[in-house]
Amino acid sequence: MSRPVIVAENLTKRFGHLTAVNCIRFSIQEGECFGFLGPNGAGKTSTMKMIYGFSPVTEGDLWVLDLSVKKHSVQVKRSMGVVPQEDSLDPELSVIDNLLVYARYYDVPSKEAATRADELLKFLQLEEKRKDSISKLSGGMKRRLVIARALINKPKILILDEPTTGLDPQARHSIWNKLRNLKKSGVTMVLTTHYMEEATQLCDRLVIMNEAKILAEGRPHELIRDRVGREVYEIRASRKALNPLKDKFQTQGFDAECFDETLYLFVRDGTPPPEALLAMVKSMDFHHRPATLEDVFLKVAGRELRE
Amino acid sequence: MFKVWYRDFKVWTRYFTSSFVANLGEPILYLLAIGFGLGRYVASFDGLSYAEFIAPALVVVSVMNTASFETTFSSYTRMAVQKTFDAIAATPLTFRQIVRGEILWAASKACFSSMVIFGVVAAFGLVKTPWAFAVVLICAVQGILFASLGILATAFAKSYEMFNYYFTLFISPMFLFSGTFFPLGGLPDWVYAVAWAMPLTHAVAGAREIFQGPPGPVFFKSLLWLGIAAALVSWAAVRKMEKRLFV
């Protein structure tokens, strides 16, 4: 099992003066689902593009299946399937031809390609759309077809760049199910997303990126436990009312932070706050919930808007 | 490279009828209106009727138009709008191979449409010798050249607007002033020099000679000129396009 299939050392990507990826390192093991989380512009997609040989590495090293991407990108691409962020299906071809023409790029013999395309259409529930043109497909179907296309060469590694962005909940859950099935079959998956739920659902391990750097790394549940704890109180009131409350919690050793008109109180090990303080909280507008990956993410990447 | 060619070919077969009619329509109109219509008022050149004079030119003009259109508007759509190049580049193919495939496809399509026009002018009785078939050699090399020029324009293009310049400032003047509709002999030297620098001039000259009989020095010279230009421009186009895509 745990053989590293993708290894990055001091990986850097620059576009002119803009540094998109700044000296990051990570190692992805065979058969795992590894996530890259981060706000827009954090460097996730740039990292993906370097992995699948779409964009040259500026500095540092990147190995995929023991091959340097810098020198052997064509071989690397042979063992990889890519689900890009932008929908790149061929609108001039039918559903089935999208798969068959793509299979040719990988030199899959045409008989084998036909069988595999049928299997994949079945697996992704697109059999009835076989002959349809791409414009007739819904967003979820297009996404599923892109995944089918990425699997046509039986890849060892599947790259998923925001696979469910813009889809409705039903379509997202159906894609997650398919991806979980794929993982069982041993495919290594590399996923970028800004949906925390998606990352929690799918990823064995993940990194959180912000401003071209990796800020945190770990298993989703461990990250939640270590960085924010088990529960969160969200208390909404005016800034003036919240600030003294925050100080009180902090002097008691609680992790609390204010943002806008909300106070976030993190309960590390499940010990509830003292009665007196809790009574104060309960007199205000508050919400008590389990800690999620989103809390980790906002804590690590900051709460400010990225625009 | 051939896989990209095949993709474009497959799409073309889907839209075959409409592109066939478009190929056919315009040159027939030119032939009727200018060749036979205007031609009645034009004196003959070197014993050729005016329709006979412009027939070989119309064949090579269709190569220029088809190849140019395919690698500007169509390639740009595949590159920037449909993201077809990006999708293919995620497979073991490289950007370089994709661009070469595009050039090869556009040249093939251009050759095909020139053969359709050849059929039309033959049907009007304007092909007098079997040697005329050898015009396909000119069409092939000229197809690669114009496809590469189009790719080069596309490599610089930020939007479709740019292609309007390409066609009004480059392709249309060439269409009119490359000896297509009147001979270049007797014009001022500088006009001749400008015309000589234009690829279509050479294609027209070579085609016109081969329509009269066995290949002579004009035919071979024009093939050589077009061949050298095609090699240089395709090299530059592939490089420039790779620079744009692989960042």
Side-chain angles (χ1 to χ4, degrees):
Chain A
M1 261 299 265
S2 59
R3 181 173 75 103
V5 289
I6 304 179
V7 179
E9 286 288 343
N10 304 327
L11 185 64
T12 299
K13 176 79 205 178
R14 274 191 289 269
F15 299 100
H17 292 294
L18 176 87
T19 305
V21 176
N22 191 359
C23 220
I24 64 169
R25 52 177 65 209
F26 57 84
S27 166
I28 300 172
Q29 307 296 311
E30 189 171 15
E32 76 173 339
C33 178
F34 192 90
F36 284 84
L37 267 68
N40 290 329
K44 305 179 304 267
T45 298
S46 295
T47 307
M48 293 304 111
K49 285 186 172 175
M50 286 190 279
I51 295 176
Y52 65 86
F54 192 82
S55 178
V57 172
T58 312
E59 257 166 51
D61 288 302
L62 182 60
W63 290 274
V64 176
L65 298 165
D66 300 320
L67 291 168
S68 166
V69 169
K70 287 182 188 169
K71 289 186 203 125
H72 305 282
S73 71
V74 171
Q75 279 112 300
V76 164
K77 287 197 281 185
R78 277 200 185 281
S79 46
M80 232 184 254
V82 180
V83 176
Q85 197 181 108
E86 286 168 313
D87 174 19
S88 64
L89 290 167
D90 203 322
E92 298 177 304
L93 295 171
S94 65
V95 167
I96 183 75
D97 281 342
N98 256 281
L99 297 180
L100 295 179
V101 168
Y102 216 66
R104 290 180 67 101
Y105 301 143
Y106 288 98
D107 296 311
V108 181
S110 54
K111 250 192 187 162
E112 203 183 327
T115 344
R116 218 180 281 174
D118 286 338
E119 284 168 15
L120 286 169
L121 287 182
K122 200 169 167 201
F123 174 57
L124 290 151
Q125 293 160 299
L126 289 164
E127 296 145 293
E128 283 152 32
K129 304 286 167 191
R130 221 185 128 81
K131 298 236 181 253
D132 283 3
S133 75
I134 300 304
S135 55
K136 286 193 191 142
L137 303 184
S138 70
M141 289 174 184
K142 280 185 191 163
R143 251 10 229 170
R144 296 210 300 274
L145 183 57
V146 176
I147 294 173
R149 192 181 68 174
L151 294 171
I152 198 81
N153 60 325
K154 289 195 176 151
K156 292 196 181 78
I157 302 168
L158 184 63
I159 309 280
L160 300 145
D161 197 355
E162 299 190 8
T164 64
T165 298
L167 299 184
D168 62 33
Q170 284 84 354
R172 281 172 67 191
H173 280 270
S174 116
I175 285 180
W176 289 346
N177 269 323
K178 301 298 172 202
L179 293 178
R180 270 192 289 260
N181 282 338
L182 274 178
K183 215 186 122 226
K184 274 186 213 143
S185 70
V187 177
T188 307
M189 296 199 283
V190 187
L191 173 98
T192 79
T193 182
H194 38 226
Y195 294 130
M196 300 304 134
E197 200 199 340
E198 183 161 276
T200 323
Q201 289 255 359
L202 296 173
C203 295
D204 299 307
R205 285 195 308 138
L206 54 89
V207 293
I208 296 177
M209 283 187 83
N210 191 32
E211 291 172 350
K213 287 260 189 201
I214 290 179
L215 300 179
E217 179 180 349
R219 297 177 178 281
H221 293 288
E222 290 171 6
L223 276 172
I224 298 170
R225 194 190 60 206
D226 298 347
R227 300 272 174 156
V228 287
R230 283 169 56 174
E231 292 162 23
V232 182
Y233 286 87
E234 284 184 27
I235 304 137
R236 285 180 236 289
S238 71
R239 198 70 190 245
K240 245 166 63 191
L242 288 178
N243 272 333
L245 194 60
K246 184 183 85 176
D247 294 341
K248 273 183 198 154
F249 276 116
Q250 281 176 340
T251 48
Q252 298 265 349
F254 281 95
D255 186 1
E257 60 180 71
C258 272
F259 187 76
D260 272 353
E261 313 256 283
T262 304
L263 173 68
Y264 297 87
L265 172 65
F266 302 104
V267 184
R268 287 249 165 220
D269 49 3
T271 356
E275 278 302 322
L277 282 176
L278 204 56
M280 279 178 76
V281 168
K282 283 183 175 166
S283 68
M284 297 160 121
D285 176 10
F286 84 107
H287 177 50
H288 180 200
R289 58 172 174 81
T292 66
L293 199 55
E294 191 134 347
D295 297 308
V296 181
F297 181 77
L298 292 170
K299 216 168 172 37
V300 170
R303 290 178 187 271
E304 290 76 27
L305 281 177
R306 305 306 143 101
E307 275 159 350
Chain B
M1 180 164 86
F2 293 106
K3 294 169 196 156
V4 178
W5 183 92
Y6 176 80
R7 180 257 165 224
D8 290 341
F9 173 74
K10 194 151 177 109
V11 170
W12 179 68
T13 53
R14 258 179 87 130
Y15 301 104
F16 183 74
T17 9
S18 63
S19 79
F20 193 79
V21 172
N23 268 344
L24 215 57
E26 208 181 80
I28 292 184
L29 291 178
Y30 277 118
L31 194 64
L32 292 177
I34 298 177
F36 292 112
L38 183 68
R40 283 190 296 153
Y41 303 96
V42 178
S44 65
F45 308 104
D46 310 325
L48 296 178
S49 75
Y50 191 59
E52 284 169 337
F53 179 77
I54 67 165
L58 287 178
V59 172
V60 294
V61 161
S62 83
V63 172
M64 172 178 84
N65 287 339
T66 309
S68 301
F69 197 85
E70 186 67 19
T71 50
T72 53
F73 291 101
S74 301
S75 286
Y76 186 82
T77 305
R78 289 194 275 271
M79 173 180 81
V81 184
Q82 300 178 356
K83 306 280 172 200
T84 312
F85 292 4
D86 290 3
I88 303 175
T91 76
L93 273 68
T94 61
F95 282 116
R96 206 175 274 216
Q97 290 167 321
I98 296 170
V99 178
R100 287 192 186 128
E102 287 282 304
I103 292 176
L104 193 66
W105 163 248
S108 313
K109 191 177 171 185
C111 273
F112 174 81
S113 83
S114 74
M115 288 303 103
V116 172
I117 305 311
F118 187 88
V120 172
V121 296
F124 279 101
L126 300 170
V127 174
K128 309 282 186 196
T129 156
W131 282 108
F133 278 110
V135 76
V136 72
L137 293 174
I138 291 197
C139 294
V141 183
Q142 185 208 355
I144 299 279
L145 174 56
F146 278 98
S148 306
L149 284 167
I151 286 286
L152 201 56
T154 301
F156 286 100
K158 295 208 164 55
S159 71
Y160 289 110
E161 302 302 308
M162 153 101 194
F163 299 131
N164 292 335
Y165 292 109
Y166 182 70
F167 279 90
T168 21
L169 297 178
F170 185 58
I171 299 292
S172 300
M174 217 179 328
F175 171 58
L176 295 170
F177 297 105
S178 293
T180 327
F181 296 111
F182 51 86
L184 294 170
L187 291 172
D189 281 353
W190 69 269
V191 178
Y192 190 78
V194 172
W196 192 86
M198 294 296 128
L200 189 63
T201 309
H202 300 272
V204 168
R208 199 161 276 151
E209 188 185 72
I210 202 74
F211 260 63
Q212 301 309 311
V218 179
F219 179 79
F220 289 115
K221 259 199 275 180
S222 77
L223 259 189
L224 186 69
W225 194 101
L226 293 168
I228 293 171
L232 292 176
V233 179
S234 64
W235 177 81
V238 170
R239 251 178 81 101
K240 184 68 203 163
M241 203 58 166
E242 190 186 30
K243 249 187 160 169
R244 169 171 181 158
L245 293 168
F246 190 55
V247 290

